[in-house]
Amino acid sequence: MTTMTFGKAITAGLRRAMENDPKVLIMGEDVGKLGGVFRITDGLQKDFGADRVVDTPLAESGIMGTAVGLAFRGYRPVVEIQFDGFIYPAFDQIVSQVAKMHYRTRGAVKLPLTIRVPFGGGIGSPEHHSESPEAYFTHTSGLRVISVSNPQDAYTMIQQAIASDDPVLYFEPKRRYHVKGEVEEAAEAQLPMGAARVVTPGSDVTLVAYGPLVPTARDAAVAASDEGVSVEVIDLRSLAPVDFATVEASVRKTGRLVITHEAAQFGGLGAEIAASITERCFDYLEHAPVRVTGFDIPYPPARLESHHLPDLDRILDGVDCVLRRPSSLAPAPGRTVSAVG
Amino acid sequence: MHTPVRHPENSGSSPTDPYVQLITPEGVRVPDPLYDRWVKDVDGARLRELFLDMAVIRRIDTEATALQRQGELGLWPPLLGQEAAQIGSGRSLRSSDFAFTSYRENGVAYCRGVGMEDLMRVWRGNAAAGWDPYSVNMAPTQVIIGAQALHAAGYAMGISYDGSDDAAISYFGDGATSQGDVNEAMVFAASYQAPVVFFCTNNQWAISEPVTLQAQVPIANRAPGFGIPSIRVDGNDVLAVMAATREALDRARTGNGPTFVEAVTYRMGPHTTADDPTRYRDAAELEQWRGKDPLARVQALLETMGLFDAAFAADVDARTDAAAAELRAACLGMPDPQPADVFAHVYAEPHSWLDRQQEQYSRYLSGFAGEATRS
């Protein structure tokens, strides 16, 4: 067992994957000598060479499209997108090429591509540096999408992603890069990549989170327990596919569901989870599922981001709502529902 | 400050800009001190084979167009007029090279050994791709304009990392040269000196947009700006296309990086069978290009050489007719896909949502057991 930061755990996982398979190579902007803007690939080019840790021109579609070609040739590219907001130039290659090549060729061509995306806010960055674009990709069949929340998962799941014969988007919560945790490097993965994890068991409310908000959700569960409310926190880990079985089992027990994410609400993952869980356990629900999310706005300037990002208090407000306690999320007294909007 | 002015009469798209030509439209073999050496092995017998190849893919094209008109194919992108560009380049490749093409390179697919049924599969709507790419070393045809140029560049990077002397080739049209992906592909290929050939089939039209809308200089002139040598070649001259492609492939194999080939040709037919070129194209332009036909000039040359006799003509007819009959039979005999195929191969590994949807749909379908087949 070693104590390491979240970021170093990813580096260690990448290193192990490269040692285990000579076909694994890393591509991206500044990933070589610099070690990436977040230093996640630090030291890898020195040890594995410039042909396996490839500094690329500044062209996201170019990086993604050449990675597709390398996968055709039998390589397993690990692509780094420098920041969440820079992934859009590569969107066409990801959704039209990466996601569909296996289906299109009836399984003949595998696209074992891993796309690492530092994502989310909370670090006071300028625009295009704090986005949560995961729903664009969970909506696209052929892609797997995961998000890690702690150093151990970061270490094991990057290796699972690279080993997968499917393309995987690996969303790294950049504001947690410096969080330390215990990592068992020798251990095989505790859970398969698609499985969710119960972080904190509880009996009154199921609280689903992933990536950067898992620690916040855990803190909210601790705060709620001070008020005598038992919150079960689930770290989704896999966003596509979602491990609905684990969420469903929890909701059948608690009867109440709160979902939280930094991404905007409309058409987000929370909507999908709310709908799917309602379909699966309608008769067990004591209250409609509630979402505590970022607002439906472009990511705001740094001095406003604390209002946009769900925090402990907003999550507790959501918990109050499903418990039918006074809450900002409950309908305002006397308000009628408008027919439009 | 220099203000760019468009001069359509002498813009880069003009076919009158200099290019490599080894056989004139009249069928005269013209010597070329730089390019003759790449085709010195092409004797009369080989020239006959190239003619036959062009005749076969022209006949396949005619038959497929007819099948579309008869409702047997959903769509077809005709290659009429581009036979020399496709055969000249396609016959220059080794089987271990890898081709990444657009949707129109059915002649290249023919050269790679793609069978008739596989050629029809996409256009009949039976599958998203026609063949196993590794069985013929050719990627599925690409509909997204220019995306495949990056795949070829990346594949070529892999060839370099493998230490192999194979090459990748990417085909795209003049319209695709406006796309970011094609330009990014050239940046990557040049940066890593990747063994890739960018083969631009400049057929003058991107559906209804003329090449003058895409380029203000000859398209081949752009590549040197990326650090990539380029060749502008008469795309209706099978011998010149072959010489240019072979030179480009040789450069790739010997570690000298990418080459850009602009084959200047003309799409004689519509963009696809859903298109009506009379809405945007001058009939006189079409007539002018008819005089540059890729097959007619080789026939004229073979006649001069005494190699286009009645027996050969009859042999060509018989073999093109046989290809057409094989194509039609393969198309009409193709079994429809099964409902479960809808879910097959989305993922390489099991996927819980999809497994659930498939199970639900299968249960739904089983409710129709005993009834007439749903169509």
Side-chain angles (χ1 to χ4, degrees):
Chain A
M1 197 77 88
T2 316
T3 301
M4 60 176 87
T5 63
F6 202 112
K8 289 295 168 205
I10 302 171
T11 313
L14 287 170
R15 177 179 291 279
R16 189 163 172 199
M18 294 187 82
E19 285 165 354
N20 288 346
D21 184 352
K23 289 293 185 187
V24 174
L25 51 82
I26 289 173
M27 308 170 66
E29 296 159 6
D30 307 305
V31 297
K33 277 188 180 164
L34 183 66
V37 292
F38 291 107
R39 309 290 184 267
I40 303 301
T41 54
D42 192 23
L44 296 178
Q45 190 185 63
K46 183 172 147 288
D47 294 342
F48 293 98
D51 286 354
R52 291 195 63 199
V53 181
V54 184
D55 269 324
T56 66
L58 270 71
E60 283 76 13
S61 189
I63 296 167
M64 206 62 68
T66 49
V68 169
L70 281 156
F72 256 98
R73 183 75 189 179
Y75 286 86
R76 304 183 88 86
V78 182
V79 167
E80 177 175 303
I81 294 293
Q82 200 158 57
F83 280 93
D84 35 54
F86 304 168
I87 200 169
Y88 306 117
F91 192 73
D92 172 53
Q93 284 287 341
I94 296 173
V95 303
S96 301
Q97 308 296 330
V98 174
K100 293 177 180 149
M101 201 59 77
H102 189 263
Y103 189 66
R104 193 187 290 162
T105 61
R106 303 197 57 74
V109 179
K110 303 241 185 311
L111 254 293
L113 199 66
T114 302
I115 305 168
R116 292 184 36 240
V117 191
F119 89 123
I123 63 167
S125 282
E127 59 178 352
H128 312 300
H129 288 68
S130 301
E131 306 196 359
S132 300
E134 60 271 22
Y136 295 117
F137 303 103
T138 58
H139 192 63
T140 299
S141 297
L143 301 175
R144 290 177 189 273
V145 182
I146 60 179
S147 183
V148 288
S149 72
N150 62 77
Q152 180 69 63
D153 275 357
Y155 174 75
T156 52
M157 287 174 76
I158 189 66
Q159 294 178 68
Q160 290 172 330
I162 293 168
S164 172
D165 275 341
D166 286 317
V168 180
L169 282 110
Y170 178 94
F171 280 98
E172 304 169 4
K174 66 172 90 79
R175 66 163 139 149
R176 306 292 184 191
Y177 274 143
H178 300 294
V179 171
K180 285 185 177 166
E182 295 291 307
V183 175
E184 180 54 77
E185 289 181 80
E188 289 308 311
Q190 306 268 314
L191 293 169
M193 191 171 75
R197 180 173 65 98
V198 176
V199 179
T200 312
S203 54
D204 296 331
V205 176
T206 299
L207 173 58
V208 171
Y210 57 86
L213 287 184
V214 172
T216 314
R218 199 179 48 217
D219 292 346
V222 171
S225 72
D226 291 345
E227 299 178 23
V229 176
S230 172
V231 175
E232 178 150 299
V233 176
I234 293 178
D235 177 0
L236 276 189
R237 296 168 83 252
S238 174
L239 314 185
V242 166
D243 175 6
F244 283 117
T246 295
V247 182
E248 183 180 341
S250 176
V251 171
R252 282 175 186 249
K253 182 173 64 177
T254 63
R256 297 176 180 88
L257 174 63
V258 176
I259 310 128
T260 186
H261 53 63
E262 290 189 9
Q265 185 166 98
F266 192 89
L269 214 56
E272 180 57 46
I273 293 165
S276 290
I277 291 301
T278 303
E279 282 175 1
R280 289 167 189 245
C281 24
F282 182 70
D283 291 340
Y284 294 82
L285 285 167
E286 304 286 343
H287 191 281
V290 156
R291 292 165 288 168
V292 180
T293 68
F295 300 119
D296 295 338
I297 58 169
Y299 196 86
R303 287 185 184 279
L304 284 171
E305 68 180 351
S306 63
H307 294 284
H308 173 67
L309 296 172
D311 60 9
L312 183 146
D313 287 327
R314 277 181 62 198
I315 292 173
L316 287 174
D317 198 41
V319 169
D320 284 341
C321 182
V322 296
L323 288 168
R324 298 181 194 276
R325 306 203 300 197
S327 150
S328 68
L329 297 173
R335 186 174 153 201
T336 52
V337 178
S338 156
V340 180
Chain B
M1 193 179 145
H2 172 69
T3 308
V5 179
R6 186 183 296 180
H7 296 290
E9 68 279 8
N10 64 358
S11 81
S13 42
S14 168
T16 58
D17 278 306
Y19 54 31
V20 178
Q21 186 183 73
L22 301 182
I23 306 174
T24 69
E26 295 72 33
V28 178
R29 176 72 170 87
V30 286
D32 186 301
L34 285 175
Y35 286 91
D36 279 346
R37 67 190 181 103
W38 294 106
V39 287
K40 60 175 183 283
D41 61 310
V42 181
D43 56 11
R46 186 77 185 101
L47 206 54
R48 276 181 158 200
E49 288 171 4
L50 293 171
F51 180 86
L52 177 64
D53 279 338
M54 293 195 291
V56 167
I57 66 166
R58 177 170 288 187
R59 186 72 180 82
I60 286 173
D61 203 57
T62 310
E63 192 69 16
T65 301
L67 283 164
Q68 195 280 331
R69 296 301 186 219
Q70 291 158 10
E72 299 294 345
L73 298 181
L75 192 74
W76 178 256
L79 57 74
L80 184 65
Q82 300 179 199
E83 295 87 351
Q86 296 200 15
I87 294 298
S89 58
R91 287 297 184 214
S92 300
L93 302 170
R94 286 198 313 220
S95 63
S96 55
D97 296 333
F98 209 101
F100 295 84
T101 75
S102 85
Y103 41 81
R104 202 183 302 285
E105 274 76 25
N106 289 299
V108 176
Y110 173 77
C111 292
R112 301 304 284 165
V114 169
M116 295 297 179
E117 182 174 328
D118 290 345
L119 203 56
M120 293 287 94
R121 207 179 294 281
V122 169
W123 307 107
R124 193 157 166 80
N126 272 40
W131 51 85
D132 173 351
Y134 294 116
S135 69
V136 290
N137 280 348
M138 176 168 169
T141 54
Q142 181 62 250
V143 169
I144 300 290
I145 301 298
Q148 73 277 16
L150 280 169
H151 304 167
Y155 189 94
M157 288 164 67
I159 291 173
S160 294
Y161 298 154
D162 291 345
S164 159
D165 70 346
D166 291 337
I169 185 166
S170 175
Y171 290 81
F172 47 83
D174 41 297
T177 62
S178 298
Q179 289 278 357
D181 278 1
V182 170
N183 290 273
E184 291 182 27
M186 286 198 271
V187 171
F188 275 67
S191 294
Y192 303 108
Q193 286 296 289
V196 58
V197 177
F198 296 115
F199 192 98
C200 174
T201 304
N202 176 1
N203 70 10
Q204 315 298 322
W205 292 93
I207 307 188
S208 72
E209 311 285 11
V211 69
T212 47
L213 195 67
Q214 319 287 343
Q216 305 309 309
V217 297
I219 290 173
N221 289 14
R222 289 190 192 169
F226 291 93
I228 298 176
S230 67
I231 316 167
R232 196 163 195 268
V233 63
D234 181 345
N236 284 16
D237 173 352
V238 71
L239 209 54
V241 171
M242 185 170 254
T245 312
R246 283 175 165 187
E247 183 193 46
L249 288 165
D250 181 72
R251 185 172 291 131
R253 296 194 205 296
T254 51
N256 293 300
T259 304
F260 188 101
V261 178
E262 178 191 359
V264 181
T265 179
Y266 194 79
R267 189 193 79 213
M268 297 297 286
H271 166 67
T272 67
T273 45
D275 174 39
D276 175 10
T278 64
R279 293 173 71 100
Y280 54 83
R281 235 164 44 173
D282 184 359
E285 183 181 276
L286 196 64
E287 277 315 301
Q288 188 204 335
W289 279 93
R290 214 180 292 283
K292 301 177 184 176
D293 185 77
L295 274 75
R297 72 177 72 184
V298 176
Q299 180 172 339
L301 177 58
L302 285 170
E303 282 166 354
T304 309
M305 296 164 81
L307 290 170
F308 202 96
D309 50 21
F312 178 65
D315 185 38
V316 169
D317 283 349
R319 292 169 74 165
T320 53
D321 283 350
E326 191 189 338
L327 181 90
R328 176 168 287 272
C331 177
L332 300 182
M334 199 181 302
D336 278 344
Q338 295 300 303
D341 288 347
V342 126
F343 297 101
H345 307 296
V346 179
Y347 293 91
E349 297 167 14
H351 187 282
S352 53
W353 301 349
L354 206 56
D355 291 348
R356 180 183 164 97
Q357 283 187 359
Q358 179 165 5
E359 190 271 323
Q360 285 176 340
Y361 189 57
S362 160
R363 208 151 16 91
Y364 169 77
L365 285 183
S366 68
F368 295 91
E371 294 183 23
T373 310
R374 288 163 58 81
S375 59

